[in-house]
Amino acid sequence: MAADSTAKNATALQFIEEMTRNADAVQQRVLAEILAQNSETEYLKGFDLGGATDRETFKSKIPMMTYEDIQPLIQRIANGDRSPILSARPISEFLTSSGTSAGERKLMPSIKEEWDRRQLLYSLLMPVMDQYVKGLDKGKALYFYFIKAETKTPSGLLARPVLTSYYKSDLFKNRPHDPFNVYTSPNEAILCEDNSQSMYAQMLCGLYDRLQVLRVGAVFASGLSRAISFLRLNWKQLSHDIRTGSVNPKFTDPPLRECLARIMRPDPELADFITRECEKDTWEGIVTRIWPNVKYLDVIVTGAMAQYIPTLDYYSGGLPKACTMYASSECYFGLNLKPMCDPSEVSYTIMPNMGYFEFLPIGGGDLVELAAVEVGEEYEIVVTTYSGLCRYRVGDILRVTGFHNSAPQFRFVRRKNVLLSVDSDKTDEAELQVAVEKASKILTKMSVVEYTSYAETKTVPGHYVIYWELMRGGAPEEGVVERCCLAMEEELNAVYRQGRAADGSIGALEIRLVRSGTFEELMDYALSKGASINQYKVPRCVTSAPILELLDARVVSSHFSPEAPRWSPERRF
Ligand code: AMP
């Protein structure tokens, strides 16, 4: 390893040590900085802090906020009010969260300086990894990264997901050479707005560089599983293109075409190799067969993404899966200091310099400071950011697993109120209920007696399965249940519809009609397992294998949404 890389890595590790040793003092400083910086904002002035920047005043005067509380303020910023409403610094853009409010992505205000903090967190990832896996500076990373559609607010502020903003930034596009972060995907491929051209190009480049690839990844496990499935569907075309070395006419994006024209060369040997491997009956271990030098998969498999672990294990022959960081549009939180650990053991250490963090005990009680959380307890994370969120409830539930120095480490337990998720979509019980109600109106002379749901991720892309039991004796006419599927999708939130209509990350919704009496049998099963008859409620989402077996054994017919629901990057402001 070059001397300057060694020194840089050592500095990063030392920074982590300093931050985590002084977690409480750093938090106190961060809060004071935020309060001083934003003291003249309309929001903070409303609480009469009188210039105080200490914790006690903050705690006694500032309430927790939810997105709905600040939506009118967000709206004013979106409409062009440039007065200091939430943040003293100008809002540079809105980051659109995958969490939704009234069916639309939440808009998180962001300021330019926040990128320095986010970049700092990114810069710590490889130094941590280098402690466990050596030689990552001697090869490349095959990461499938994509941008999503962006839109503008009425006043011209951009609204887009945080990673889209990052990939489009100079910080990413003009990043200095770093031997630990050499990607096989050229910027032109990542920045191509057409997801399928982007995926094709990224796969092509990953295949050309196959012997240099030391790690394969995507942000979330769902993305990597989709990339492998893409290879499965397109390897013939890919190997044909590699054999001829000519740029496929499917690339219509001019910068991407030009870029590929520079990269592509005829390589019949590689084409033969790909054909041989992909033609085999089994795709088990395909990742290590094609990329034999891969040491680990770099993907988040915690939280809702855990459902993809068996698929990734199958395709990679059980390669380690590194979950390196925990971040959101609201704030980047922290990193996993033992990235090669088993997914079930992953804990994230929150970096106390990223924002001011408090924790709402799940069992009830007052907000607790970062350094004061207790091992074994579960909390909802609450953030105060430089961009103007004040005691904002993120909605993630975390469990404290231990401490690194004086900084607590957290297991990601779950996202509050999420019933169904196959990618970054998050559907809650109320949304599902409304969708079922709307869709069932299409059924004439019939009604849905009971329903439940399941996130099916063995298919690629994953899709929602809704089990419906109809009133006894009813049999819908042909095509009607399909229309119900589409009607449900039309009711689901914008993140779901975007995944379906634009990103291809969610497959068509499926309704499985089950025979009469199925939900009674489901109740009998629950009672036999000890549920109380007085308290029994039909679960609106099921995950356990025996219950799914029970349901699937009673399926009379299965129906899919015939087309994608409506979606447009434009939104109501
Ligand atoms: P977004 O609001 O779209 O930026 O997504 C951020 C959310 O994704 C977080 O609040 C978490 O719910 C989830 N998330 C991010 N990182 C992780 C992780 N490492 N493990 C589990 N969930 C994560």
Side-chain angles (χ1 to χ4, degrees):
M1 189 163 69
D4 61 334
S5 289
T6 314
K8 247 170 62 190
N9 286 359
T11 310
L13 297 178
Q14 203 183 335
F15 177 77
I16 295 173
E17 287 306 290
E18 269 169 34
M19 287 295 121
T20 53
R21 270 202 208 107
N22 304 303
D24 195 51
V26 175
Q27 281 284 276
Q28 191 165 346
R29 171 176 63 75
V30 166
L31 180 65
E33 275 175 15
I34 294 174
L35 294 180
Q37 183 171 309
N38 288 334
S39 64
E40 291 305 308
T41 58
E42 183 180 322
Y43 187 77
L44 280 186
K45 280 209 304 209
F47 295 105
D48 204 18
L49 290 177
T53 60
D54 65 290
R55 277 176 172 169
E56 288 319 310
T57 315
F58 174 74
K59 283 200 263 187
S60 65
K61 301 212 168 183
I62 308 281
M64 275 191 287
M65 61 161 67
T66 63
Y67 185 75
E68 285 66 30
D69 295 333
I70 53 166
Q71 216 198 347
L73 304 180
I74 299 273
Q75 190 65 48
R76 276 173 49 207
I77 301 171
N79 289 342
D81 190 335
R82 293 284 171 269
S83 64
I85 297 177
L86 286 167
S87 162
R89 303 277 160 91
I91 301 299
S92 53
E93 63 181 329
F94 282 113
L95 301 177
T96 56
S97 157
S98 56
T100 56
S101 169
E104 294 286 350
R105 287 173 177 270
K106 292 177 184 166
L107 296 171
M108 295 300 158
S110 185
I111 57 175
K112 228 166 100 237
E113 299 87 301
E114 200 57 35
W115 279 116
D116 300 336
R117 263 177 291 276
R118 295 187 192 118
Q119 182 66 19
L120 181 61
L121 192 66
Y122 282 132
S123 75
L124 305 176
L125 303 181
M126 290 312 290
V128 169
M129 188 54 96
D130 178 56
Q131 293 175 288
Y132 300 94
V133 185
K134 290 293 171 198
L136 291 172
D137 54 338
K138 305 289 187 295
K140 296 187 179 183
L142 165 52
Y143 286 153
F144 296 93
Y145 284 161
F146 301 94
I147 56 167
K148 293 194 183 210
E150 59 189 28
T151 184
K152 281 193 172 159
T153 71
S155 70
L157 278 177
L158 280 169
R160 53 192 179 176
V162 61
L163 290 176
T164 298
S165 173
Y166 178 55
Y167 302 144
K168 287 188 164 186
S169 70
D170 287 339
L171 215 55
F172 181 79
K173 284 192 294 193
N174 304 327
R175 59 197 182 276
H177 176 78
D178 169 359
F180 283 96
N181 283 304
V182 180
Y183 304 146
T184 56
S185 296
N187 289 351
E188 290 86 345
I190 295 171
L191 294 172
C192 172
E193 279 175 17
D194 177 331
N195 276 353
S196 73
Q197 288 184 50
S198 170
M199 174 77 93
Y200 197 99
Q202 298 196 50
M203 187 60 83
L204 197 62
C205 298
L207 291 170
Y208 270 120
D209 279 345
R210 78 178 185 95
L211 295 176
Q212 296 169 62
V213 170
L214 303 183
R215 54 198 208 265
V216 171
V219 178
F220 288 116
S222 51
L224 185 54
S225 136
R226 215 158 66 245
I228 299 166
S229 158
F230 181 88
L231 179 62
R232 191 171 200 154
L233 294 172
N234 294 282
W235 63 265
K236 281 192 183 138
Q237 188 66 53
L238 285 156
S239 75
H240 170 268
D241 292 355
I242 290 173
R243 189 177 303 283
T244 62
S246 51
V247 180
N248 194 301
K250 76 168 61 174
F251 294 111
T252 52
D253 182 60
L256 184 53
R257 276 196 76 82
E258 266 170 47
C259 161
L260 289 174
R262 287 194 303 272
I263 291 174
M264 292 192 68
R265 56 185 191 276
D267 190 340
E269 225 174 285
L270 175 60
D272 286 341
F273 170 81
I274 294 166
T275 306
R276 256 196 330 273
E277 288 305 329
C278 295
E279 244 175 10
K280 286 185 181 157
D281 287 342
T282 172
W283 265 54
E284 195 169 355
I286 192 74
V287 172
T288 38
R289 284 195 266 137
I290 303 244
W291 294 282
N293 300 318
V294 170
K295 297 174 194 250
Y296 65 93
L297 305 180
D298 193 336
V299 271
I300 292 177
V301 286
T302 41
M305 290 296 147
Q307 54 195 338
Y308 289 95
I309 293 174
T311 308
L312 294 184
D313 281 347
Y314 177 81
Y315 286 130
S316 74
L319 276 179
K321 294 158 287 298
C323 300
T324 58
M325 70 188 282
Y326 168 42
S328 76
S329 332
E330 292 90 336
C331 185
Y332 278 25
F333 302 114
L335 72 177
N336 177 1
L337 296 178
K338 293 198 176 124
M340 295 303 276
C341 72
D342 188 79
S344 61
E345 298 292 315
V346 173
S347 288
Y348 298 101
T349 304
I350 290 192
M351 291 301 285
N353 59 310
M354 300 303 295
Y356 185 69
F357 303 105
E358 294 170 285
F359 296 85
L360 188 63
I362 293 307
D366 292 335
L367 282 167
V368 177
E369 289 164 10
L370 179 70
V373 295
E374 287 178 34
V375 174
E377 291 301 310
E378 288 188 3
Y379 303 89
E380 177 181 347
I381 182 164
V382 173
V383 291
T384 299
T385 66
Y386 288 83
S387 314
L389 297 177
C390 262
R391 309 192 105 182
Y392 178 87
R393 296 178 67 165
V394 174
D396 289 346
I397 314 279
L398 312 175
R399 183 184 315 124
V400 185
T401 54
F403 280 79
H404 179 76
N405 297 321
S406 61
Q409 303 186 293
F410 297 91
R411 178 136 319 149
F412 185 94
V413 179
R414 65 192 164 86
R415 174 102 182 170
K416 221 171 47 181
N417 296 337
V418 173
L419 200 65
L420 286 167
S421 170
V422 297
D423 190 48
S424 52
D425 54 300
K426 299 166 178 61
T427 297
D428 68 24
E429 194 165 331
E431 288 170 317
L432 183 67
Q433 169 78 21
V434 169
V436 169
E437 276 169 15
K438 271 273 161 77
S440 62
K441 291 215 171 81
I442 295 177
L443 299 168
T444 42
K445 292 181 260 156
M446 248 174 292
S447 59
V448 178
V449 185
E450 273 305 353
Y451 70 92
T452 189
S453 67
Y454 170 62
E456 171 62 270
T457 52
K458 285 188 281 301
T459 55
V460 186
H463 72 284
Y464 289 8
V465 174
I466 320 294
Y467 293 91
W468 272 12
E469 181 174 327
L470 299 181
M471 223 163 64
R472 199 171 289 274
E477 280 168 30
E478 207 176 315
V480 169
V481 187
E482 281 73 9
R483 277 171 45 221
C484 293
C485 292
L486 181 58
M488 281 196 70
E489 295 196 302
E490 296 281 5
E491 281 307 309
L492 295 176
N493 65 49
V495 177
Y496 176 90
R497 286 180 285 111
Q498 182 176 4
R500 264 291 272 140
D503 305 342
S505 57
I506 304 174
L509 183 143
E510 179 184 3
I511 291 180
R512 293 184 189 161
L513 295 182
V514 291
R515 67 173 186 237
S516 290
T518 299
F519 279 82
E520 240 166 84
E521 290 181 66
L522 190 68
M523 179 173 77
D524 291 342
Y525 177 81
L527 298 182
S528 77
K529 292 284 165 203
S532 137
I533 189 144
N534 295 322
Q535 286 163 354
Y536 178 78
K537 280 211 288 298
V538 177
R540 289 305 179 208
C541 179
V542 292
T543 50
S544 92
I547 293 186
L548 283 165
E549 269 169 37
L550 186 156
L551 289 166
D552 282 328
R554 287 152 185 79
V555 170
V556 188
S557 58
S558 140
H559 311 260
F560 287 90
S561 185
E563 60 195 77
R566 275 169 305 111
W567 178 81
S568 128
E570 304 310 319
R571 52 180 285 156
R572 290 171 267 120
F573 279 103

